[in-house]
Each structure stands twice: as structure tokens, then as C-alpha cells.
Amino acid sequence: MYYVYLLRSQKDGNLYVGFTLDLRKRIEKHRKGEVNSTKFRRPFRLMFYEAFCNKYDALAREKYLKSGYGKEQLKSILKNSFG
């Protein structure tokens, strides 16, 4: 399976969208500070993820969610989670 996920920094509230084959392992790397793009924004909360059978579908979804429209869609879907 291929996963697209959304993390929210509990330090600054910023969102991070990512892609991985192993969601648990990737989240653990974020939590340990082993991911350069997020290591200074720890700790994180996993807010959302989706699973895909096809790598290219997952990568396309990740790209969309990183766009302005995609982030707005996530904020709309998760409006009650951002308190």
C-alpha cells in the first residue's frame, strides 16, 4: 500500500503533507526528528491519511493536497479537528 498523510505541528500549527510506503515507520521518523523538512517543527499529530494501491495515484493525491486547493479541502474536511 501507498499512503498520503497529513501532520500538524503542535509547535507552530503548520501542516505537512507526505507520501510513504510504511506509514508507521515514516511517522516514527518524523517524531524522532529524522526528516529534515520537519525536524524543527516537532512534536506532530497525525491528522489524516489515505491508502492507495497504486503509487502514481498516491503521488498525484500528495501533489494535489500540497496545493492551495488541496490544503483548503483538507481544512474543510477536518474543520472540527483544528481547534
Side-chain angles (χ1 to χ4, degrees):
M1 296 297 286
Y2 301 90
Y3 298 91
V4 176
Y5 60 94
L6 172 70
L7 299 177
R8 183 176 187 205
S9 169
Q10 293 177 324
K11 181 177 181 180
D12 60 18
N14 286 329
L15 302 178
Y16 175 83
V17 175
F19 162 86
T20 188
L21 282 167
D22 188 332
L23 185 59
R24 287 187 177 147
K25 187 182 286 187
R26 187 65 174 168
I27 298 303
E28 189 60 28
K29 284 186 173 207
H30 282 289
R31 288 191 176 136
K32 289 181 178 179
E34 297 175 359
V35 180
N36 286 334
S37 59
T38 61
K39 66 183 173 183
F40 297 110
R41 296 167 52 200
R42 297 178 296 152
F44 291 99
R45 181 173 174 210
L46 178 63
M47 302 294 291
F48 178 83
Y49 70 90
E50 295 175 318
F52 295 84
C53 295
N54 181 283
K55 177 181 178 179
Y56 301 103
D57 290 339
L59 287 170
R61 182 66 168 163
E62 178 196 28
K63 183 176 180 179
Y64 173 74
L65 292 177
K66 286 183 174 184
S67 75
Y69 293 117
K71 285 200 177 176
E72 287 304 313
Q73 182 186 40
L74 283 171
K75 287 177 183 179
S76 176
I77 292 169
L78 301 170
K79 63 184 169 192
N80 294 314
S81 297
F82 293 107

